[in-house]
């Protein structure tokens, strides 16, 4: 329970506060439209009025939040500012995309409720006009404002009006259709299957958020939902005058015709702040993208992995950080995130890119990956870089004992960590708090090991030379190899080095028994906080998070961290 509080306590608290504010706004605005001012509006619309306005308030709140988790420069600044005070709070910022998705789901939910309620509202509005009976209060209310059209209550002015025409000829109706369509496209294209297989579709449709916010700001300017004015309430109190509607405005009556007005638009007050912040964010990104980046080295690794080594004036990084990259000759608009595999101590920064889609294939070809001859430096593509940005791996040296778990190309952030460790020990840096690193790499095929094996061999030799063999324990797993395939290599296990990686540590086959691994580490390091860092699939994250909770006993605490960019 204590470890759950350490890992998830602040996240749960933030989510509960967010849900609580949503619930408060919903109830508060639902009750606001049950007051006397909205009595005559409720005569026409019934409870559908409150059911339309309450989710509208929640939409304002969530649309205020939706942009903040993707202001990555702001988050990077906040992360650096609060990291010295609270590592737990800084770790929550690494879950920005998760929160962004939750807010998006909440927006979708409240949009659905808002639309359904307004569909009922339009039916009631139309019904009040069609039921032409001067002895009916809804009909009398619908006729108010027919003369000068200044103080109407029912936006459908005649019984000949088509509600569909109203939907496409009013500000509220037209903007409502536009932002709903934009929201549907944004959410459907964000599904994992589309995002992974057709990233360009996801990327382009996500920028419909610009249309969404423009429509959202103007949506309330039509003031279709109207209530009784404050002045009219003094002269025509519904509790006294509602039953005398047939004599409203006639001589000898103390009840004049009520006057109505819509609320002034409020949405812009909710979203203008985040919109300004996001514009500033994009300006910072644009400024960075104009800074000159020089590709100093291109390496084509096996398993279609491209390594780019680059330099940019003033570039400073920490371990495990990532950058967004753009290659104008491949796409003028697309930016893609890649983990930095270099160490802060190196005079360049590097990324390793697995070729899996149209954009990466285009970059591979632009760098000469499809040619046999070496690409001349002046022919290399121009690159734009935004970043670096912080991730959970920045905290790795804040733990005395560390578990690093990488799956496939997910090993890249830990390349930076291990390189930095190597440089720190070469320089005999005495300020390294970390005393033990357990490194696990899960990979489906042997080719993927090759680009990383040289680094591990260097580390292995350096640790042996300095008498620090116990500092780094690593286990490499071939997860897709069958027993029959592995049997051929077992005959070589008597050799000093592994036949696949060339390392002294032998390659293992299948998947790790995480229960045994966590038990062993917990036994060796009682009363310690163990930082568990993962860059890999969600399924593996669920397994490791569960292990962290179940093995935090006898004083040892496993703190789970996952890369989320």
């Amino acid at each position: 329970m204590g470890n759950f509080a350490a890992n998830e306590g602040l996240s749960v608290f933030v989510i509960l506060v967010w849900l609580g504010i949503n619930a408060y706004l919903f109830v508060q605005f639902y009750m606001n439209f049950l007051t006397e001012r909205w009595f005559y509006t409720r005569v026409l619309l019934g409870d559908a009025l409150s059911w339309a306005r309450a989710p509208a308030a929640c939409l304002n709140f969530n649309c205020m939040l939706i942009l903040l988790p993707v202001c990555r420069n702001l988050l990077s600044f906040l992360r650096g500012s609060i990291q010295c005070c609270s590592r737990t709070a800084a770790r929550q910022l690494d879950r920005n995309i998760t929160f962004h998705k939750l807010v998006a789901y909440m927006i979708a939910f409240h949009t659905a409720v808002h639309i359904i309620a307004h569909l009922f509202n339009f039916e009631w509005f139309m019904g009040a006009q069609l039921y032409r009976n001067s002895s009916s209060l809804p009909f009398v209310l619908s006729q108010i404002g027919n003369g000068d059209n200044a103080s109407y209550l029912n936006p459908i002015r005649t019984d000949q009006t088509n509600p569909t025409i109203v939907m496409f000829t009013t500000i509220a109706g037209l903007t409502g259709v536009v932002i709903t369509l934009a929201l549907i496209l944004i959410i459907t294209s964000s599904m994992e299957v589309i995002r992974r297989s057709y990233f360009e579709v996801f990327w382009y449709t996500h920028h419909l958020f610009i249309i969404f916010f423009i429509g959202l700001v103007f949506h309330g300017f039509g003031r279709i939902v109207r209530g009784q004015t404050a002045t009219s309430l003094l002269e025509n109190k519904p509790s006294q005058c509602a039953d005398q509607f047939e004599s409203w405005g006639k001589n000898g009556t103390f009840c004049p015709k009520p006057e109505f007005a819509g609320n002034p638009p409020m949405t812009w007050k909710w979203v203008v702040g985040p919109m300004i912040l996001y514009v500033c964010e994009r300006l910072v990104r644009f400024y960075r993208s104009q800074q000159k980046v020089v590709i100093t080295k291109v390496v084509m690794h096996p398993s279609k992995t491209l390594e780019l080594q680059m330099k940019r004036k003033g570039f400073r990084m920490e371990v495990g950080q990532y950058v967004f990259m753009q290659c104008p000759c491949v796409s003028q608009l697309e930016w893609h995130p890649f983990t930095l595999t270099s160490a802060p101590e190196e005079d360049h920064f590097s990324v390793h890119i697995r070729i899996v889609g149209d954009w990466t294939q285009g970059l591979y070809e632009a760098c000469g990956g499809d040619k046999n001859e070496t690409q001349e430096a002046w022919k290399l593509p121009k690159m734009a870089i935004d970043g670096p940005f912080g991730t959970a791996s920045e905290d790795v040296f804040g733990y005395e004992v560390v578990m690093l778990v990488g799956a496939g190309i997910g090993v890249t952030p830990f390349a930076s960590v291990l390189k930095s460790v190597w440089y720190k020990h070469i320089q005999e840096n005495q300020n390294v708090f970390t005393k033990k690193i357990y490194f696990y790499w899960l990979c489906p095929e042997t080719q993927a090991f090759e680009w990383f094996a040289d680094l591990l061999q260097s580390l292995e030799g350096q640790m042996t030379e300095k008498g620090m063999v116990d500092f780094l324990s690593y286990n490499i797993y071939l997860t897709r190899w069958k027993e029959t395939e592995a049997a051929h290599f077992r005959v070589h296990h008597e050799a000093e080095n592994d036949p696949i990686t060339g390392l002294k540590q032998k390659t293992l086959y299948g998947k790790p028994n995480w229960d045994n691994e966590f038990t062993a580490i917990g036994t060796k390091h009682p009363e310690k906080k163990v930082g568990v860092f993962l860059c890999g699939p969600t399924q593996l994250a669920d397994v490791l998070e569960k292990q962290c909770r179940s093995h935090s006993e006898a004083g040892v605490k496993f703190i789970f961290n996952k890369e989320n960019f």
Side-chain angles (χ1 to χ4, degrees), residues 103-277:
V103 174
Y105 295 146
M106 187 66 79
I107 289 174
F109 170 74
H110 285 298
T111 298
V113 176
H114 184 70
I115 290 172
I116 291 170
H118 269 319
L119 289 176
F120 279 101
N121 287 337
F122 267 92
E123 284 297 316
W124 299 132
F125 277 139
M126 194 67 209
Q129 284 286 10
L130 291 174
Y131 186 62
R132 307 189 68 80
N133 183 351
S134 58
S135 297
S136 167
L137 178 56
F139 176 72
V140 171
L141 290 170
S142 297
Q143 300 308 300
I144 293 176
N146 274 351
D148 54 13
N149 207 36
S151 182
Y152 66 87
L153 177 60
N154 191 336
I156 297 180
R157 304 307 303 138
T158 72
D159 59 349
Q160 303 300 316
T161 305
N162 188 327
T164 304
I165 294 176
V166 175
M167 185 178 298
F168 287 98
T169 57
T170 61
I171 295 175
L174 186 59
T175 56
V177 170
V178 169
I179 61 181
T180 300
L181 290 175
L183 184 63
I184 290 172
L185 288 172
I186 289 171
I187 291 178
T188 53
S189 65
S190 301
M191 296 170 62
E192 187 171 0
V193 63
I194 294 177
R195 194 173 70 250
R196 290 189 177 277
S197 302
Y198 307 98
F199 183 84
E200 291 80 3
V201 174
F202 159 76
W203 197 91
Y204 286 117
T205 55
H206 234 62
H207 281 72
L208 290 172
F209 82 91
I210 298 171
I211 295 175
F212 176 87
F213 272 92
I214 292 174
L216 186 69
V217 168
F218 286 99
H219 184 60
F221 277 73
R223 305 191 186 189
I224 280 186
V225 177
R226 304 164 76 86
Q228 200 172 355
T229 64
T231 303
S232 177
L233 271 173
L234 297 176
E235 301 171 345
N236 184 315
K237 293 183 180 295
S239 58
Q240 300 172 5
C241 297
D243 295 334
Q244 303 177 38
F245 65 90
E246 292 181 277
S247 61
W248 283 349
K250 295 179 181 179
N251 292 331
T253 179
F254 63 89
C255 292
K257 285 185 179 181
E259 296 181 355
F260 301 96
N263 282 336
M266 299 293 293
T267 300
W268 68 272
K269 296 181 180 180
W270 288 83
V271 300
V272 66
M275 288 173 71
I276 292 173
L277 278 175

Side-chain angles (χ1 to χ4, degrees), residues 32 38 155 175 205 217 243 260 299 315 346 350 381-382 419 502 519:
N32 284 352
W38 301 95
T175 56
T205 55
V217 168
D243 295 334
F260 301 96
V299 183
F315 188 90
E346 295 179 297
S350 65
K382 179 185 176 182
K419 280 183 181 180
T519 299

Side-chain angles (χ1 to χ4, degrees), residues 516-528:
N516 291 345
E517 297 295 331
F518 274 80
T519 299
I521 293 172
T523 302
K524 291 180 182 177
H525 306 281
E527 307 297 329
K528 300 289 185 184

Side-chain angles (χ1 to χ4, degrees), residues 9-40:
L10 187 55
S11 292
V12 171
F13 175 75
V14 170
I15 296 300
L16 289 176
V17 169
W18 170 64
L19 290 174
I21 294 174
N22 273 279
Y24 168 77
L25 288 173
F26 193 96
V27 172
Q28 180 65 39
F29 276 78
Y30 190 97
M31 301 301 293
N32 284 352
F33 286 86
L34 297 180
T35 59
E36 193 174 41
R37 183 198 170 192
W38 301 95
F39 177 85
Y40 291 128

